[in-house]
Amino acid sequence: MDTKAYKKEFSRLGLRMALCSLVIMGIQYGSQFLVLAVNREWVDNPDIMLASSMVPLYLLGYPVTFWIIKAGSEKRDIEKHRMKPWQFILAFMMSYGILILGNMIGLGVTLGIGLLKGEEVVNPLLAVLDDVNLWISSVYIVLLAPAFEEYLFRKLICDRVVKYGQGTAVFVSGFMFGLFHGNFNQFFYAFFIGCFFAYIYVKTGKIRYTIGLHMIVNFIGSVAGGLLLQNVEMESVTGMIVYALYALCVYGIAITGIVLFLVNRPKMKLDAGEMVIERGSWFRTVLCNAGMIIYIVLFTLQMLVFSLL
């Protein structure tokens, strides 16, 4: 066991991810600056402003990020296993339950912060998407984000960390994914569901399953709910009935999913890796190193800024 070497490898991963995050931020803010330099009036067009941020992100930001991470430590091939249709359905229900639970925790934390500062903490994602065309935003949220995020946080990261054990790969993938969202509203559910998706990936070795799950939960949370709000008059009797049925369905799936997760949790074993981290040194090896600390501080500061300003 070479704890110092292991620690350096996790530090390099943290540094690379911090660099990737800064590159992505620079590309997004830079592209928005250029768009506004062309026409200042576009600042009032939410569709154009969203496109000016998202299009460069997926055409340039993520490809550069993939290259940076691939240039890092050696990856390991994860053994491939096929999920049966009923297993995928159960995984969806569990992932949705985990998502709702994490969202409730995030709402509780931001509510507490809001009470302390005397005003509501606004979810930056919702603030941006509220005025954007639903079908345009759904392309980013339902199609592009799941594919690119799963490739980065599940495949690229897990492939490089799984040699230290599936448990370490699951935690690192979920934790870095949660922080990457950059706000307390999303951190908890992104962390929880990121860990669950990472578990699915390390057990199947197939990224298409987590991409599919990610797409489905994003669709239900954004497109389905958005269509309901746009097309149903909530103040009418019919609207209240439709909304009640939707809420019953959503929370019914979530509660069922949490129960299924608790029932199946004892069976969800995580295998040890070929490289064993010394007992009692996992925290300082995996997280308490220069690179990971930089990554954690970078996004913690961003979360605090979004919460307190």
Side-chain angles (χ1 to χ4, degrees):
M1 294 184 291
D2 191 344
T3 302
K4 290 184 178 180
Y6 300 166
K7 187 173 184 177
K8 287 181 180 179
E9 187 164 6
F10 282 105
S11 181
R12 286 194 294 268
L13 175 62
L15 284 172
R16 288 176 185 275
M17 281 300 299
L19 174 61
C20 292
S21 303
L22 292 173
V23 167
I24 286 174
M25 291 177 193
I27 289 173
Q28 289 187 296
Y29 287 123
S31 62
Q32 288 188 327
F33 175 81
L34 291 175
V35 165
L36 293 178
V38 173
N39 190 336
R40 289 288 301 176
E41 294 181 359
W42 283 342
V43 71
D44 296 321
N45 189 317
D47 295 335
I48 292 178
M49 293 308 298
L50 182 64
S52 70
S53 175
M54 293 295 133
V55 172
L57 169 65
Y58 292 109
L59 289 181
L60 183 59
Y62 271 116
V64 170
T65 294
F66 297 159
W67 177 80
I68 292 173
I69 299 301
K70 286 181 178 179
S73 59
E74 182 182 358
K75 74 181 187 70
R76 294 289 190 274
D77 291 327
I78 296 176
E79 187 176 349
K80 303 291 190 296
H81 296 282
R82 188 175 180 179
M83 288 184 75
K84 296 177 181 179
W86 66 268
Q87 291 175 317
F88 185 84
I89 293 172
L90 290 181
F92 156 67
M93 297 181 75
M94 286 190 279
S95 62
Y96 199 72
I98 292 169
L99 173 73
I100 294 298
L101 178 62
N103 187 52
M104 292 175 65
I105 294 173
L107 290 174
V109 170
T110 52
L111 176 62
I113 295 174
L115 291 173
L116 289 175
K117 76 171 191 174
E119 60 181 351
E120 181 184 2
V121 176
V122 178
N123 185 333
L125 177 64
L126 295 180
V128 171
L129 297 179
D130 276 347
D131 298 324
V132 176
N133 180 281
L134 179 63
W135 296 110
I136 293 176
S137 64
S138 67
V139 172
Y140 304 125
I141 297 172
V142 180
L143 298 178
L144 295 177
F148 282 78
E149 289 176 357
E150 289 305 308
Y151 185 75
L152 172 59
F153 288 97
R154 251 54 73 187
K155 182 164 181 57
L156 293 186
I157 289 181
C158 286
D159 283 357
R160 283 155 180 79
V161 179
V162 73
K163 60 190 175 186
Y164 296 101
Q166 292 180 346
T168 298
V170 165
F171 178 85
V172 171
S173 171
F175 185 61
M176 298 188 89
F177 181 60
L179 286 173
F180 188 77
H181 283 72
N183 62 82
F184 286 112
N185 295 83
Q186 295 176 277
F187 169 76
F188 294 95
Y189 74 71
F191 172 39
F192 293 167
I193 204 169
C195 287
F196 185 71
F197 287 165
Y199 170 79
I200 297 293
Y201 176 66
V202 298
K203 288 301 182 182
T204 65
K206 296 183 178 181
I207 199 66
R208 67 171 180 262
Y209 293 135
T210 64
I211 291 175
L213 291 169
H214 200 152
M215 286 181 172
I216 293 170
V217 297
N218 278 15
F219 174 82
I220 294 175
S222 59
V223 179
L227 286 173
L228 184 67
L229 291 173
Q230 288 185 3
N231 296 285
V232 177
E233 180 58 54
M234 294 301 173
E235 295 180 358
S236 66
V237 175
T238 301
M240 289 189 289
I241 293 174
V242 171
Y243 186 77
L245 291 173
Y246 172 76
L248 182 64
C249 180
V250 166
Y251 286 100
I253 294 173
I255 293 171
T256 303
I258 292 172
V259 172
L260 286 171
F261 178 80
L262 294 174
V263 170
N264 287 277
R265 178 64 187 88
K267 305 174 187 177
M268 299 168 65
K269 305 297 183 181
L270 294 166
D271 299 333
E274 61 191 80
M275 297 181 177
V276 180
I277 298 174
E278 184 179 354
R279 185 182 296 274
S281 65
W282 187 92
F283 180 80
R284 68 172 183 269
T285 300
V286 176
L287 295 179
C288 193
N289 55 70
M292 283 292 186
I293 290 173
I294 290 173
Y295 182 81
I296 293 169
V297 169
L298 173 66
F299 281 101
T300 300
L301 289 176
Q302 182 176 327
M303 289 193 291
L304 290 173
V305 168
F306 278 128
S307 298
L308 300 177
L309 290 184

